[in-house]
Amino acid sequence: MAKNLPVFTLKHFLVLSLALNVSLILRAMYESEKGSLYRVLSLQQQRSSVIAGCGSQEEAHVSKKKHLSISLPSLDTTTSTGIEAEAEAEDGGERIINLDHGDPTMYEKYWQQVGDKTTIVIPGWQSLSYFSDVSNLCWFLEPEFAKEVVRLHKVVGNAITENRHIVVGTGSTQLFQAALYALSAQDASEPISVVSAAPYYSSYPSITDCLKSGLFKWAGDAQRFDKDGPYIELVTSPNNPDGFVRQSVVNRSGGILVHDLAYYWPQYTSISFPADHDLMLFTVSKSTGHAGMRIGWALVKDTEVAKKMTKFIELNTIGVSKDSQLRAAKVLKVVSDSCEPSSSEIECFFAFNHQQMDMRWKQLRVAVKESGLFSVPDFPPQFCTFLGRAFEPQPAFAWLKCEEDINDCEGFLRDKKILTRSGKHFGFSPKYVRISILDRDEIFNLFIHRLSKIIS
Amino acid sequence: MAKNLPVFTLKHFLVLSLALNVSLILRAMYESEKGSLYRVLSLQQQRSSVIAGCGSQEEAHVSKKKHLSISLPSLDTTTSTGIEAEAEAEDGGERIINLDHGDPTMYEKYWQQVGDKTTIVIPGWQSLSYFSDVSNLCWFLEPEFAKEVVRLHKVVGNAITENRHIVVGTGSTQLFQAALYALSAQDASEPISVVSAAPYYSSYPSITDCLKSGLFKWAGDAQRFDKDGPYIELVTSPNNPDGFVRQSVVNRSGGILVHDLAYYWPQYTSISFPADHDLMLFTVSKSTGHAGMRIGWALVKDTEVAKKMTKFIELNTIGVSKDSQLRAAKVLKVVSDSCEPSSSEIECFFAFNHQQMDMRWKQLRVAVKESGLFSVPDFPPQFCTFLGRAFEPQPAFAWLKCEEDINDCEGFLRDKKILTRSGKHFGFSPKYVRISILDRDEIFNLFIHRLSKIIS
């Protein structure tokens, strides 16, 4: 019988059956997650007030407590009690808390709540070719990914994409090297100097110098740079490790600027204007949290620079994973969708994670105050065009200073089984450490509790 | 009502509904593909004779014609007629045939026939972290991928994996650079020489020298290398571009060998023994055809070398796409499954693609003979432990020589709208060109037809 059934009839059956699946899956999810539906709905309600920027922070905090009580402590701004204390008690203070890396696992929570909207399905016969778009200068750039990059910048308003080439990279780390390659002269008598104002991203020196290149060479703190001749200045804004908004500091001719804008997103800092620099670097690792994808992108004004960057990536890795580009395209699309005014299904990605960061920084400041041994930077509030209100930066890293006579802050915290990165790696004082704020709730809460108990 | 329905009952409904989907999808596929099921079955029948190595090549050719007639020409060994001639007639000889790159799109056919066995589904909340396995020296290596690499080498018998570290890379290109970094001394007074016997892979010199590294430097043809001191010799076997099996040629102390075994798979060459070198490079691009994944792996004997290679990839790209590693794991698993004696569902990947290559080389040799203007290498047959019989190499590239007074073979073919890569890029004579044999049927057939019509 089935053999004689026409295909279009089978397809109709299939559609019906798929619809049945979807409804059953949704039902099962809602039933088994015990109220997660209501959480999503309450996120929605809360979202409108955050986007509109009308509610006070205290109001936001109250509504946050309502729907996030399952996985986050009900912590107010003066005492630290709740789940993290329980975790610490269970753990006995023996567990090593590794916050050396900026591993963005905090974002798992949002993506779990979003469910299968960002699920990607790749059949085995897809994406075999090296090439994505031979008509594009960057021939390994997936058109769908490029489209979603442009859209996301338009939604957030954090960068100009018009009249720019997009170059995709295996993370922004590869694009940073591609930029150095593209901006240095192949026939120069000596390598071009690469500088950045201290404290600078700890990996810049080692990445720049790892192959002892004859094209470029790390020349340290931009504020102390006094060598004649051309140079490349890296401007990281907001800055890694300290979170401050930055501009170039070497004010003379012959300089070429590379803007690393990995953290210029509204969960970390106010979006003041669409950035409009010659060469800007971004990465999904710190925007959406998908570090494992290894996807970054550069917005490049000059065609020759974009061509040379593409050439570098061709020589370095013959392009960039198509699977990850396709997955990144889907994730960026959902982020943009979630923040469009018309979205009613899911909480805006940036609003949700802005609140996560807001809460974490409040907890951190309380813990720092309780301990009395540390300090973290104070930031002036700035108006954010995306969220429609002013707020203080809440960076992905805490730039923590050990006060009193503690000179090796990293070592001091290591004794408390908290792993951090010493200020010395950032061209700065070892009285400072960089601490990731992007770990999972459990680890972050354990850290906050342990930090608050370190007293002189 | 639904609200009170217990979840396990819903799940039961779901399972039933999913089963219904699967059966309907399978039915629709079989109906709409008009006989592809029978093609798969005939592949199966044919497979047993190939694996067993009992059928003569002529027999294999006959059975091949039976099931591949849909997309491949019914070409015998003396005349070239059929689909490619039709294509050429439609095209009028004006279409540019680009065989400069080794883009492995030939493999799409196999993966389409396999269907959804290699489809991967990645939810949005998966693989956010940078880390894959912190207990592994190569901390960004997905355990599932590592497991399938080991299994595949065991199934094929082409490399020893025992007592080796696996280092994953963004293609073997990145691993090649990681190897140079790992094998050169950080404190050496001058860069170590990197050599390979000509004709060598055309990208080796530009990759090695692109950053003018102080650690390593391209020193050309290994056969002419007479400099004292340490050196790294790249041994590509089978060789790109010419397909010959190779061994090291610089026979003196101080040399370190890197074996690029990208093409040491039974679709291209006989597997004579499991390779047992210190540092061996492989890639999915040329083994399974998934170039767009950008996944390669190194088998490394020395722990310190593996550590330094891992460090390089950390500095270069902070690891390797997890999405592509997970997808590669699934693809390698299906390849191994397909070639296990117990497999009855799908044609062994290597047997199928061995036949594709066998047919293509037969067509190529006929076209070369018809033209009279060219020659391709003759290879001695060797016994293959995997296929259980002897055969001549059938490389991924044709190393074509222009005979008579044609000195610029690349230019000569460019005039015929066939793009190839000149021998001069391989440290060899411009009388030679490298031509990819791995393009889709349509392009390959067009090429064969056009080549056969070029007469003096």
Side-chain angles (χ1 to χ4, degrees):
Chain A
M1 182 213 76
K3 207 169 181 178
N4 295 321
L5 210 61
V7 170
F8 76 88
T9 311
L10 281 166
K11 282 186 182 161
H12 286 159
F13 270 121
L14 194 57
V15 169
L16 277 172
S17 172
L18 279 170
L20 181 62
N21 272 188
V22 170
S23 69
L24 285 168
I25 288 168
L26 286 173
R27 168 62 57 192
M29 275 170 63
Y30 291 165
E31 295 285 333
S32 65
E33 283 189 15
K34 294 191 184 68
S36 67
L37 172 64
Y38 305 102
R39 195 162 66 234
V40 172
L41 289 175
S42 85
L43 288 174
Q44 257 177 261
Q45 287 157 1
Q46 172 211 348
R47 179 180 166 258
S48 50
S49 73
V50 173
I51 292 281
C54 301
S56 71
Q57 289 213 27
E58 186 56 27
E59 275 172 344
H61 189 66
V62 170
S63 78
K64 187 169 56 201
K65 282 208 291 190
K66 196 159 55 191
H67 66 84
L68 290 174
S69 57
I70 292 164
S71 51
L72 279 178
S74 55
L75 188 76
D76 68 22
T77 50
T78 52
T79 62
S80 62
T81 54
I83 285 170
E84 84 280 16
E86 279 172 40
E88 186 79 357
E90 279 170 24
D91 161 68
E94 283 305 304
R95 184 163 168 187
I96 292 168
I97 301 172
N98 189 344
L99 300 172
D100 176 17
H101 299 275
D103 205 27
T105 45
M106 177 190 85
Y107 291 99
E108 284 169 354
K109 190 161 65 181
Y110 178 83
W111 293 115
Q112 278 163 355
Q113 289 186 1
V114 165
D116 58 4
K117 282 189 198 306
T118 44
T119 297
I120 190 165
V121 177
I122 310 177
W125 61 83
Q126 201 177 300
S127 305
L128 267 79
S129 172
Y130 288 102
F131 301 96
S132 293
D133 180 4
V134 287
S135 70
N136 195 310
L137 175 153
C138 182
W139 53 265
F140 47 79
L141 172 65
E142 284 289 317
E144 197 57 28
F145 175 69
K147 192 184 106 188
E148 295 301 337
V149 162
V150 170
R151 181 177 166 217
L152 183 63
H153 283 305
K154 197 155 283 179
V155 167
V156 176
N158 64 339
I160 302 277
T161 55
E162 281 80 19
N163 302 316
R164 253 81 176 181
H165 298 282
I166 298 174
V167 180
V168 65
T170 311
S172 59
T173 297
Q174 186 180 40
L175 289 163
F176 163 61
Q177 294 157 82
L180 296 187
Y181 172 81
L183 298 172
S184 55
Q186 294 291 318
D187 53 357
S189 57
E190 59 170 15
I192 192 168
S193 297
V194 180
V195 298
S196 189
Y200 43 71
Y201 175 35
S202 52
S203 292
Y204 283 153
S206 46
I207 295 171
T208 307
D209 285 346
C210 77
L211 293 184
K212 297 190 176 178
S213 174
L215 300 180
F216 44 77
K217 191 177 163 60
W218 179 250
D221 187 356
Q223 282 150 319
R224 299 179 186 195
F225 181 65
D226 56 6
K227 202 164 163 259
D228 283 334
Y231 64 92
I232 296 170
E233 183 181 351
L234 313 169
V235 183
T236 311
S237 182
N239 191 39
N240 172 359
D242 66 11
F244 284 96
V245 171
R246 284 192 157 188
Q247 292 184 319
S248 66
V249 300
V250 189
N251 190 17
R252 60 178 168 82
S253 65
I256 311 171
L257 302 182
V258 174
H259 280 81
D260 184 343
L261 305 184
Y263 302 94
Y264 191 43
W265 297 100
Q267 65 267 50
Y268 305 122
T269 198
S270 293
I271 304 304
S272 310
F273 54 84
D276 185 22
H277 310 290
D278 287 348
L279 204 167
M280 304 184 275
L281 305 180
F282 292 92
T283 167
V284 295
S285 307
K286 300 300 154 61
S287 52
T288 74
H290 291 86
M293 280 185 189
R294 311 308 314 120
I295 292 291
W297 66 95
L299 302 178
V300 187
K301 218 180 248 177
D302 187 272
T303 301
E304 288 312 307
V305 171
K307 271 187 194 164
K308 283 182 75 180
M309 288 178 72
T310 300
K311 184 69 190 170
F312 175 82
I313 294 171
E314 181 188 325
L315 289 168
N316 195 216
T317 54
I318 323 186
V320 174
S321 162
K322 283 188 177 185
D323 311 313
S324 288
Q325 285 190 69
L326 294 174
R327 192 168 173 234
K330 190 140 196 184
V331 167
L332 295 192
K333 181 181 183 305
V334 172
V335 169
S336 291
D337 285 350
S338 77
C339 299
E340 291 280 14
S342 60
S343 166
S344 60
E345 285 183 54
I346 50 168
E347 168 85 348
C348 168
F349 172 83
F350 296 111
F352 181 92
N353 288 296
H354 176 91
Q355 286 199 311
Q356 300 289 303
M357 293 302 291
D358 173 64
M359 186 162 50
R360 288 182 171 211
W361 270 90
K362 283 198 172 76
Q363 290 175 264
L364 177 67
R365 289 188 190 279
V366 170
V368 161
K369 201 173 164 191
E370 278 194 9
S371 161
L373 274 180
F374 310 105
S375 67
V376 286
D378 284 317
F379 302 102
Q382 258 200 308
F383 186 79
C384 175
T385 55
F386 179 75
L387 289 181
R389 60 183 172 84
F391 62 87
E392 294 166 17
Q394 39 198 41
F397 297 104
W399 187 233
L400 189 95
K401 186 182 178 192
C402 278
E403 299 292 344
E404 299 182 8
D405 57 349
I406 306 164
N407 291 315
D408 173 13
C409 195
E410 182 190 355
F412 178 77
L413 288 168
R414 202 191 309 115
D415 288 345
K416 318 291 181 192
K417 296 194 165 55
I418 300 172
L419 306 186
T420 64
R421 196 173 294 182
S422 170
K424 70 185 178 192
H425 299 297
F426 303 86
F428 219 70
S429 158
K431 277 190 82 67
Y432 289 78
V433 291
R434 190 194 75 169
I435 300 175
S436 170
I437 304 292
L438 300 184
D439 215 307
R440 297 183 181 99
D441 285 338
E442 186 205 2
I443 305 299
F444 180 77
N445 294 332
L446 206 58
F447 159 67
I448 288 295
H449 181 74
R450 200 176 291 175
L451 192 77
S452 69
K453 299 300 176 207
I454 302 172
I455 44 177
S456 54
Chain B
M1 182 215 77
K3 207 169 180 177
N4 296 322
L5 210 62
V7 170
F8 76 89
T9 310
L10 281 167
K11 283 185 181 162
H12 286 157
F13 269 121
L14 194 57
V15 169
L16 277 170
S17 173
L18 281 170
L20 182 61
N21 272 189
V22 170
S23 68
L24 285 168
I25 289 169
L26 287 173
R27 168 61 56 191
M29 275 171 61
Y30 290 164
E31 295 285 333
S32 65
E33 284 189 14
K34 292 190 185 70
S36 66
L37 171 65
Y38 305 105
R39 196 162 64 234
V40 171
L41 289 175
S42 84
L43 288 174
Q44 258 176 260
Q45 287 157 0
Q46 171 211 350
R47 179 179 168 258
S48 50
S49 73
V50 173
I51 293 281
C54 301
S56 70
Q57 290 213 26
E58 187 56 28
E59 275 172 342
H61 189 65
V62 169
S63 78
K64 187 169 56 203
K65 283 208 290 190
K66 195 159 55 189
H67 67 84
L68 290 174
S69 57
I70 292 164
S71 51
L72 279 177
S74 56
L75 188 76
D76 69 20
T77 51
T78 51
T79 62
S80 61
T81 55
I83 285 171
E84 83 282 16
E86 280 171 40
E88 186 79 357
E90 280 170 24
D91 161 68
E94 284 305 303
R95 184 161 168 188
I96 292 167
I97 302 173
N98 189 343
L99 300 172
D100 175 18
H101 300 274
D103 205 26
T105 45
M106 175 190 86
Y107 290 99
E108 284 169 355
K109 190 163 64 180
Y110 179 83
W111 294 115
Q112 278 163 357
Q113 290 187 1
V114 164
D116 59 3
K117 282 190 198 306
T118 44
T119 297
I120 190 166
V121 177
I122 310 178
W125 60 84
Q126 200 177 301
S127 305
L128 268 78
S129 174
Y130 288 101
F131 301 95
S132 294
D133 181 2
V134 288
S135 70
N136 195 310
L137 175 153
C138 182
W139 53 266
F140 47 79
L141 172 65
E142 284 289 317
E144 197 58 27
F145 175 69
K147 191 183 107 189
E148 295 301 336
V149 162
V150 170
R151 181 177 166 216
L152 183 63
H153 284 304
K154 197 154 283 177
V155 167
V156 176
N158 65 338
I160 303 277
T161 55
E162 282 80 19
N163 301 316
R164 253 80 175 181
H165 299 281
I166 297 174
V167 181
V168 65
T170 311
S172 60
T173 298
Q174 186 180 42
L175 290 163
F176 163 61
Q177 294 158 81
L180 296 187
Y181 172 81
L183 297 173
S184 56
Q186 295 290 318
D187 53 357
S189 57
E190 59 171 13
I192 191 168
S193 297
V194 180
V195 298
S196 188
Y200 44 71
Y201 175 36
S202 52
S203 293
Y204 283 152
S206 46
I207 296 172
T208 307
D209 285 346
C210 77
L211 294 183
K212 296 190 177 178
S213 173
L215 300 181
F216 44 78
K217 190 176 165 59
W218 180 250
D221 186 356
Q223 281 149 320
R224 299 179 186 195
F225 181 66
D226 55 7
K227 202 164 163 261
D228 283 334
Y231 64 92
I232 296 170
E233 183 182 351
L234 312 169
V235 182
T236 311
S237 182
N239 191 39
N240 171 359
D242 66 11
F244 283 96
V245 171
R246 285 192 156 189
Q247 291 184 319
S248 66
V249 300
V250 189
N251 191 15
R252 58 178 171 80
S253 65
I256 311 171
L257 302 182
V258 174
H259 281 81
D260 184 344
L261 305 183
Y263 303 94
Y264 191 44
W265 297 100
Q267 66 266 51
Y268 305 121
T269 200
S270 294
I271 305 303
S272 311
F273 54 86
D276 185 22
H277 309 290
D278 287 347
L279 203 166
M280 302 183 277
L281 304 180
F282 292 92
T283 167
V284 295
S285 307
K286 300 300 155 58
S287 52
T288 74
H290 290 85
M293 281 185 188
R294 310 309 313 119
I295 293 290
W297 67 95
L299 302 178
V300 188
K301 216 180 249 177
D302 186 273
T303 301
E304 289 310 309
V305 171
K307 272 187 194 164
K308 283 183 76 181
M309 288 179 72
T310 300
K311 185 69 190 170
F312 175 83
I313 293 171
E314 180 188 325
L315 288 168
N316 194 215
T317 54
I318 323 186
V320 173
S321 163
K322 283 188 177 184
D323 311 314
S324 288
Q325 285 190 68
L326 293 174
R327 192 168 172 234
K330 190 142 194 180
V331 167
L332 295 192
K333 181 180 183 307
V334 172
V335 169
S336 291
D337 284 350
S338 77
C339 299
E340 290 281 14
S342 60
S343 166
S344 59
E345 286 182 53
I346 51 169
E347 168 85 348
C348 168
F349 171 84
F350 296 112
F352 180 92
N353 288 296
H354 177 92
Q355 286 198 313
Q356 300 288 302
M357 293 302 292
D358 173 63
M359 185 160 50
R360 287 180 172 213
W361 271 89
K362 283 198 172 76
Q363 291 175 262
L364 176 67
R365 289 188 189 279
V366 170
V368 162
K369 202 173 164 192
E370 278 194 9
S371 161
L373 275 181
F374 311 104
S375 67
V376 286
D378 285 317
F379 303 101
Q382 258 200 307
F383 185 79
C384 175
T385 56
F386 179 76
L387 289 180
R389 60 184 172 85
F391 63 87
E392 294 166 17
Q394 38 196 44
F397 297 103
W399 187 232
L400 189 95
K401 187 182 178 191
C402 277
E403 298 293 344
E404 299 182 8
D405 57 350
I406 306 163
N407 291 316
D408 174 13
C409 195
E410 182 190 355
F412 178 78
L413 288 168
R414 202 191 309 115
D415 289 343
K416 319 291 181 193
K417 297 194 165 54
I418 300 172
L419 307 185
T420 63
R421 195 171 295 181
S422 170
K424 69 184 177 191
H425 299 298
F426 303 87
F428 218 70
S429 159
K431 277 189 83 69
Y432 289 78
V433 291
R434 190 195 75 169
I435 300 175
S436 170
I437 303 292
L438 300 184
D439 215 307
R440 296 184 182 97
D441 285 339
E442 185 205 3
I443 305 298
F444 181 77
N445 294 333
L446 207 58
F447 159 67
I448 288 295
H449 181 74
R450 200 175 292 173
L451 192 77
S452 69
K453 300 298 175 207
I454 302 172
I455 44 177
S456 52

